[in-house]
Amino acid sequence: MKARTGSTYAAGPIAVLLALLAAATSVSLQAEDKDAAIRNTILLQIEAFANDDDEAAWTIASDGIKRRFGSSDVFLSMVREAYPAVHRASAIEFAERVPHGPFEIQVVRLEGPEGKRWDAYYRMVLIDGEWKVAGVRVKPAELGI
């Protein structure tokens, strides 16, 4: 009987450890799911730009972007002129994602149509369970060694 009681006490810390491990794994899986969803959204929009699919690119834009540009034609024209590296990216590499309260910043390294490398900072917002692009800031990538 005492051995049984002893094993009950021993199981307590193990059960707590397993519960903590399960919670940490759940948080990690949620972060991975968020990463995958954000990356997929960005890839879908870049693919839409590459295919000159105004409507598909437009559906991924946030409501704020839609209010600012008014139509998919105006939006795609702006992207084509102001963001050629986003419009015609020839290589894409995802870097870190930085939470900012109500939105996330996803850093994406792009190679533009002329072979130049760029760092793109995508502002992502969650609207009705779907990630939307709320803006992009692009700057030339720093060249390393």
Side-chain angles (χ1 to χ4, degrees), residues 39 42-43 46 85-86 88-98 106-112 115-122 136-144:
R39 290 174 179 185
I42 293 168
L43 287 172
I46 288 174
V86 172
R88 290 290 188 249
S90 58
I92 302 163
E93 178 186 342
F94 289 93
E96 67 272 3
R97 177 179 54 83
V98 182
Q106 176 64 59
V107 181
V108 182
R109 295 192 173 100
L110 302 171
E111 185 172 315
K116 289 185 178 180
R117 300 203 36 94
W118 301 87
D119 289 330
Y121 300 86
Y122 278 79
V136 180
R137 181 173 179 234
V138 178
K139 69 174 196 167
E142 292 183 21
L143 299 177

Side-chain angles (χ1 to χ4, degrees), residues 50-134:
N51 293 322
D52 291 321
D53 188 342
D54 300 13
E55 293 307 315
W58 186 244
T59 62
I60 296 168
S62 70
D63 293 342
I65 295 291
K66 290 177 179 177
R67 281 190 301 274
R68 182 173 179 193
F69 294 100
S71 75
S72 60
D73 294 337
V74 173
F75 173 65
L76 193 64
S77 178
M78 178 279 300
V79 171
R80 188 179 297 115
E81 291 174 28
Y83 299 95
V86 172
H87 185 253
R88 290 290 188 249
S90 58
I92 302 163
E93 178 186 342
F94 289 93
E96 67 272 3
R97 177 179 54 83
V98 182
H100 276 279
F103 62 92
E104 305 278 330
I105 298 293
Q106 176 64 59
V107 181
V108 182
R109 295 192 173 100
L110 302 171
E111 185 172 315
E114 296 176 4
K116 289 185 178 180
R117 300 203 36 94
W118 301 87
D119 289 330
Y121 300 86
Y122 278 79
R123 182 178 177 171
M124 304 297 294
V125 294
L126 189 61
I127 301 172
D128 297 329
E130 291 186 31
W131 288 100
K132 301 288 185 175
V133 177

